[in-house]
């Protein structure tokens, strides 16, 4: 812990430059976190039971939506999928909760 820092005057241009850099770093960190979350939630599913288990697991992990064949749906929706064809299912990461600590 570095403790409180002394206040000092900063020129406006320097402040704007620092703020933009900090915000860019935060955005990149959040984007990478979202990509990592999506990657950890990606798997191949072959059966209806695996599909149901996958959605239940994603709900338990805090995910709310998925993209099924390009259409965004809620994980709690009663989806009717044709089991004769392969479907593309992607977890949607559009919001992140801040972790404490």
């Amino acid at each position: 812990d570095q403790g409180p820092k002394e206040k000092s005057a900063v020129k406006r241009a320097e402040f704007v430059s620092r703020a933009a850099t900090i915000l860019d770093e935060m955005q990149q960190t959040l984007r990478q976190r979202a990509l990592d979350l999506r990657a950890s939630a990606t798997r191949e599913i072959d059966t209806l039971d695996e599909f149901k288990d996958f959605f239940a697991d994603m709900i338990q992990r805090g995910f709310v939506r998925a993209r099924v064949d390009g259409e965004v749906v809620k994980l709690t929706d009663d989806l009717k999928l044709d089991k004769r064809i392969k479907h593309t299912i992607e977890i949607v990461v559009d919001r992140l909760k801040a972790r404490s600590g």
Side-chain angles (χ1 to χ4, degrees):
D1 185 16
Q2 296 176 343
K5 294 185 179 185
E6 285 189 38
K7 293 181 180 181
S8 62
V10 177
K11 292 183 180 180
R12 181 184 173 148
E14 184 181 349
F15 172 78
V16 170
S17 174
R18 281 188 192 173
T21 300
I22 291 168
L23 290 172
D24 285 344
E25 289 173 2
M26 289 173 61
Q27 185 176 23
Q28 286 300 322
T29 299
L30 289 171
R31 183 177 187 281
Q32 188 58 52
R33 185 171 166 210
L35 292 173
D36 292 345
L37 281 169
R38 186 174 67 185
S40 74
T42 301
R43 62 187 76 136
E44 194 156 314
I45 298 172
D46 295 318
T47 68
L48 182 59
D49 287 336
E50 287 178 9
F51 170 79
K52 288 178 181 178
D53 291 344
F54 173 74
F55 269 36
D57 181 42
M58 293 301 103
I59 291 169
Q60 185 176 17
R61 291 176 59 186
F63 293 97
V64 177
R65 287 176 287 287
R67 188 175 297 109
V68 179
D69 299 330
E71 180 184 343
V72 176
V73 298
K74 289 185 178 179
L75 295 176
T76 54
D77 289 350
D78 184 25
L79 297 175
K80 305 290 186 218
L81 298 177
D82 185 343
K83 62 183 176 182
R84 297 171 292 167
I85 62 171
K86 256 190 173 172
H87 299 277
T88 302
I89 300 171
E90 304 165 292
I91 293 299
V92 173
V93 180
D94 60 356
R95 293 180 186 100
L96 297 173
K97 283 186 180 180
R99 289 188 265 191
S100 59

